[in-house]
Structure formats: C-alpha cells, structure tokens
Amino acid sequence: MSRGQALIIDDSSTARIILARLLEKADLDTQGAASAEEGFRILQDDVFDLIFLDHLLPGLNGFEALARLKADPETADIPVFMYTSQNAEKYVEEAKARGAAGVISKQVDRKALMGMIDSILAGQEAEAPLLHEAIEHARDTADPVSGRRLTGRLATLEIAYEELHEELRQLRTGQATHRVQKDEANDRRFRRLRLLWLFSAIAFAVILLFYALQMAELQQVVANMNEQFVLIQEIVTDLAGLRGESE
C-alpha cells in the first residue's frame, strides 16, 4: 500500500526517473512534471505529500515556484525539497529561508533520502545528511565535498545499475513469457491439426462405407435384373415351343 504521493518537478527526464525509482522503493507513488507551470496544473487535480523541485527550470525557476507554492494556502503546508546540483551552504540557507524543507543533491544518498522521507511522513523535522552542507565535518576532513560527490556518483551509478538489472529482468521475463505463449500457440495448432486429421479420417471412412453400401445395393439390383432377364428368356422360349406344337 502506498505511503503517499510525491511530485517531482524537473526538466531532466533522467533525474525524474532516478528519483522516482528511489521514491518507489520507499512505497511512494510519484508523478513528474518538466516545468513549474506543468507542476502547478497537476497540483490543481491531485494532492501530494512531498514535492521535489529543481532549481533551473524553463519558465519559472525553482525559487520562484517555491514562493508561489508557499503563497498558496492549498500547497503551503506541503514539504518542498529543492532537488538540485546546487549544494553550497549559502544556497541551502536561502532555500530554507524561502520555505524549503531542505536541499537534496541530484547525486542523492539513498539512506539519507529514505531517512528524510520516513521523518517527513512521520510528521517530524527532517534532518538528513544531504539536507545541508556539513560545515563542522569539513573542518576534520581533507576534501569532504569530493567525498560527497563521489558518494553521490556511486549512488547514482548504483541506481543506474539497478535500472539496467531491472530492465534485463523484465526482458528475460518478457522472453520467457513469449516463449511460453509461442509453445502454447504451437500446442493449440497441433491439437487443431490432430482434430482436423481425425475428422478427415472419420469423414473418409464414412464416405467409403457409404460407397460400399451403394455398390452392394447396385450389385443386388444388377443381380435382380439378371434374374428377371433369365426369367423372360425362359418365358419367351416356352411361348416359342407352344407355338411350334400348335402348328
């Protein structure tokens, strides 16, 4: 059973698909929109529990769309996460100041995302690692940004691998189903041919029997005619003999 609905507003179909797959693993139904304007049209017809909003969009950009969402009483209470490659601390602070629940990198950490979703759906304040820059951690790590980028890229690669694996699984399933359907069709065709052969054999046997009966009847008629002919010959012979005697 679905735990809720999420709207993904991003002009990149690849980004929408990757995030949608992750959200589906969290038992969320998703819809996608390629622009903020399209997203607003969808929001008029459906109710969503989460919105993921790209920053760079055709038409209204992410912050302009966020402002419009927060200004509308119908959508003001929906948690909105900026789903973007922007990850500077200043950007995160500005996003939160404008009403965003947080910022998620497009090279998303799966565990962080799942934890954030669980928190949001449980009605708690989301504090996932990718919702802001880890400034304190940066002081103790030589290159935390590169580490996060590498982790994000590995997560994206893992998602792509899972996508490929799922497509291969579906392809194998489709091939197996096609093979079964083909075997069933061949089996049905064979059964039809066997029935046709049986019916043909029966029909041929019936015709032969009918022909044999007709031949027997014809032979009986010929025999009767021969007997009648012999009888007529005898009568003619007797008549001829009687005439000779009378003369």
Side-chain angles (χ1 to χ4, degrees):
M1 182 177 178
S2 173
R3 299 168 64 194
Q5 286 206 103
L7 176 62
I8 304 171
I9 303 176
D10 197 311
D11 60 335
S12 168
S13 59
T14 301
R16 291 198 305 270
I17 291 172
I18 289 175
L19 182 57
R21 293 296 187 189
L22 285 173
L23 296 177
E24 286 170 4
K25 293 182 184 297
D27 297 324
L28 287 173
D29 293 330
T30 64
Q31 287 193 55
S35 67
E37 290 78 6
E38 182 183 355
F40 288 126
R41 287 193 294 271
I42 294 174
L43 285 165
Q44 291 176 356
D45 300 323
D46 293 305
V47 177
F48 293 90
D49 302 287
L50 294 169
I51 297 175
F52 294 87
L53 180 61
D54 188 18
H55 181 74
L56 298 176
L57 291 167
L60 292 176
N61 66 35
F63 278 165
E64 292 170 339
L66 176 63
R68 181 170 168 180
L69 287 168
K70 294 305 175 182
D72 187 344
E74 297 292 328
T75 57
D77 294 331
I78 303 176
V80 180
F81 291 89
M82 303 305 295
Y83 180 51
T84 176
S85 56
Q86 300 279 346
N87 58 3
E89 180 66 20
K90 182 178 180 181
Y91 179 86
V92 175
E93 292 176 354
E94 185 176 1
K96 286 191 172 184
R98 291 172 179 263
V103 176
I104 298 177
S105 170
K106 289 197 174 181
Q107 296 171 343
V108 63
D109 184 307
R110 180 181 303 183
K111 286 187 177 180
L113 179 63
M114 296 302 178
M116 178 205 70
I117 291 173
D118 290 340
S119 298
I120 289 294
L121 295 180
Q124 303 171 359
E125 183 70 21
E127 284 296 337
L130 289 184
L131 299 185
H132 55 77
E133 289 286 320
I135 299 299
E136 296 299 326
H137 181 65
R139 294 174 181 173
D140 302 324
T141 307
D143 193 3
V145 175
S146 297
R148 280 195 303 275
R149 286 176 180 171
L150 179 59
T151 301
R153 287 170 182 167
L154 288 175
T156 302
L157 182 60
E158 182 181 359
I159 294 167
Y161 172 78
E162 288 182 355
E163 287 291 308
L164 179 59
H165 179 73
E166 178 64 18
E167 289 178 2
L168 288 174
R169 187 191 67 80
Q170 292 178 357
L171 179 60
R172 293 193 189 100
T173 301
Q175 288 177 337
T177 302
H178 177 71
R179 190 179 302 112
V180 170
Q181 292 174 345
K182 185 177 179 180
D183 291 342
E184 290 177 349
N186 289 335
D187 186 57
R188 287 193 299 269
R189 189 178 297 110
F190 175 75
R191 288 199 300 268
R192 286 197 297 267
L193 289 174
R194 187 170 56 185
L195 287 173
L196 179 61
W197 179 86
L198 179 61
F199 289 149
S200 298
I202 293 173
F204 184 70
V206 169
I207 291 172
L208 284 178
L209 178 61
F210 177 76
Y211 177 75
L213 292 173
Q214 291 295 316
M215 288 298 294
E217 185 177 351
L218 180 60
Q219 288 175 352
Q220 184 63 41
V221 170
V222 171
N224 291 336
M225 290 179 64
N226 287 335
E227 289 178 1
Q228 293 295 324
F229 182 71
V230 171
L231 181 60
I232 292 172
Q233 282 183 329
E234 290 176 353
I235 293 173
V236 170
T237 301
D238 290 342
L239 288 175
L242 290 175
R243 181 176 180 184
E245 290 175 2
S246 63
E247 290 179 352

